Structures are given as C-alpha cells and as structure tokens.
Amino acid sequence: MSKPAWTTETIESDGAPPLSARVYGAGGPSGDAPPLVLHLHGGAFVGGDLDQGSVVASLLAEAGAVVVCVDYPLAPAHPFPQAIEANHAALVWMLRQRRRLTGHDARLFVAGEEAGGNLAAAAAMVSRDRHGPLLAGQILLSPMLDACVSTASLRGAKAGPVGCPWADGWHAYLPRASDATHPYATPGSSMRLDGLPATLLITALDDPLRDETHAYAERLRAAGVPVDEAMVPRATGWPVTYLQPEAASAPWTDPVRLRLRRFLLERASGPCLMRGGLCIPRTTSSRRTS
C-alpha cells in the first residue's frame, strides 16, 4: 500500500502559540465524510515529532480517516498541563475546520501511541468535562498510563525507576508530585471514567506497556464505556518502533490497520444520536480479541 500524502497546516487559537500539524488523507464526496482524527505521537512526553509520528498517522489514514497529526509542546520545557491545553485547542480547531478537512458531518476521534496515548485519553476527558468537542471514539496504542512505572510487563522489560525512558519521561512531564494525582495527567488512575467515548486499545505480547493498557480497558468497561481491546500476538518492538519511519512496512502494521479500519467504520457510520451537531454512534458492545 502506498504511503498517504500529507499537507502542512498551522493551528491558530486564541491566547495560545500556533501549532504545526500534518494532515493525512482527503475528504470524500458530500454526505460521505471520512472520520476526522486528532493524532498525537509518542516520545515519552519529551521527544518525538511529526516525522516520527508518521507510521501511526499513515495507518490511520490508510484505515479511512483524515488525520491531523499535531506537533504538541514537549516537556520539560512545557510540562503538564501545557500539551493537554494545546491538544484541546487543536480539537476545537478541527471541529471548526471539519467541513474543509473532510465534511460537515464528519465524526471526530482522538488517537495516540505511548505518551501520545496518554494525551489522547486526557483529550477525551477534557472534551467530556468541557462539553465538547464531542468525540465518537478514542484510539490508544500502548498508552503510558501508570506514572509509578511498576507493572509486571514493565518489570519484565527490565524497565524501572533508574535509566528507564518512561520513568524519565514521567518525571519531566510531571515535575511536581501533586501533578500525578490529576486525572488528566494519569488517566489510568482517574476515579471518573463514565461518559468517555467508545475506546479501541491496542497492545502486543512484547509491549512493556501491555499491563497498564489492559488495566485501563478493564476500568473503562466497569464504567460502562464500550471497549474494543486487541493484542498483536507477535513481536513488534513497541513502543520504540512506533517512532521509526522504516517500521511502516513491519509485519505488525497489517493487523493494526485492520483493527483501526473496523473500529472507525463501526463508530463513523450506522445509527447515531445527535448531540451538538455531531452524530454519536448508538453502540454499547465491548470485546477483547487477539
């Protein structure tokens, strides 16, 4: 499959610095608008860029979406909650621009891998709490959700508090200990998950972030959120390989692309409930597959 082309955009919002973004994919004919996805790259909160976000952004576009990949502000220069506010501003911009980007009836999603998965989960919470933009779904690949860096899968990867890129990333992103108690900083420990959009969670057998991904899926289910949970049953090198453009042809991309396409089709079509001008799917199923 050929790599989707992209164009450059500058996201302007009141009272905030402009954000650079890439838009992958193209809108369809009138009345057949593809889903519109805000994509947030990985990099443990302190690294990553639009080039390194190209693998997952391209997979989302190949799955049928128009994807806005945002160059959000990085820690430690921009600690919590600066990236969260920037990403919410990007969602508001996307809602205003959706007719131009894809179509007036396009449904809005958030997606991200590793630290970007954390920020996507936070973006869904902020949109819920601020009553918009309303989301049809969130897509989280190997999200960083446990600031304690203490799960068995992380220990199995010999990741710990010293010399661990995820521990170092958390420390840079949350310089104050009190920040770790905020639900937007650590969505995995949030006490209120009801009202969040349907969620696709993807991990892999060799993923150090596997356990916190599964734990979040279980907590979302308990809160009544429709969850589609998938595990890639092969070596992937996640989350490091998310950031490697040469991974675009890796064997794991095919099953991930198929899961993305199925989730987007289910959530971007069919019966829905109109809220604030957006069509929210009337589906309540929850499943776990490998």
Side-chain angles (χ1 to χ4, degrees):
M1 182 175 293
S2 62
K3 187 175 180 180
W6 51 266
T7 59
T8 301
E9 292 274 354
T10 299
I11 297 175
E12 303 275 359
S13 59
D14 295 339
L19 298 173
S20 297
R22 287 181 183 173
V23 178
Y24 293 76
S30 177
D32 188 25
L36 183 58
V37 181
L38 171 66
H39 170 248
L40 305 169
H41 63 75
F45 300 111
V46 297
D49 55 29
L50 296 178
D51 286 332
Q52 293 175 311
S54 64
V55 174
V56 175
S58 295
L59 288 173
L60 286 161
E62 291 164 3
V66 172
V67 184
V68 179
C69 187
V70 173
D71 194 17
Y72 59 83
L74 299 175
H78 303 282
F80 172 82
Q82 293 184 44
I84 288 172
E85 292 298 335
N87 295 333
H88 182 71
L91 276 174
V92 172
W93 178 88
M94 289 167 61
L95 182 62
R96 292 171 177 167
Q97 297 292 325
R98 62 178 172 159
R99 180 185 293 273
R100 176 176 65 87
L101 293 171
T102 171
H104 73 278
D105 57 347
R107 299 182 193 176
L108 197 59
F109 294 75
V110 290
E113 63 274 13
E114 197 235 29
N118 172 294
L119 295 171
M125 290 183 174
V126 174
S127 290
R128 176 199 61 188
D129 296 344
R130 298 183 185 177
H131 308 290
L134 290 168
L135 302 176
Q138 59 177 339
I139 299 168
L140 314 178
L141 297 89
S142 312
M144 282 179 67
L145 300 168
D146 180 12
C148 296
V149 197
S150 60
T151 63
S153 59
L154 275 167
R155 293 196 303 272
K158 295 182 171 51
V162 179
C164 168
W166 302 294
D168 293 343
W170 278 113
H171 181 73
Y173 181 55
L174 307 176
R176 298 176 301 179
S178 60
D179 289 337
T181 65
H182 198 292
Y184 297 167
T186 53
S189 60
S190 172
M191 299 302 292
R192 180 173 167 250
L193 298 177
D194 58 293
L196 290 174
T199 303
L200 172 61
L201 284 150
I202 304 180
T203 184
L205 285 175
D206 64 338
D207 182 5
L209 304 175
R210 181 185 68 246
D211 288 351
E212 57 202 272
T213 302
H214 175 65
Y216 195 51
E218 291 296 297
R219 296 196 64 234
L220 287 168
R221 289 189 183 99
V225 176
V227 175
D228 185 357
E229 184 182 6
M231 181 180 293
V232 178
R234 65 179 69 186
T236 61
W238 290 354
V240 174
T241 53
Y242 288 129
L243 299 175
Q244 298 172 349
E246 61 270 22
S249 58
W252 56 261
T253 59
D254 288 335
V256 170
R257 186 185 301 108
L258 289 173
R259 297 308 295 252
L260 295 173
R261 180 178 292 119
R262 187 172 76 182
F263 182 78
L264 290 168
L265 283 173
E266 289 177 349
R267 299 293 160 178
S269 61
C272 63
L273 173 67
M274 293 303 297
R275 293 180 184 169
L278 284 183
C279 187
I280 308 303
R282 292 182 183 272
T283 52
T284 58
S285 62
S286 183
R287 59 176 173 264
R288 182 189 301 116
T289 59
S290 59

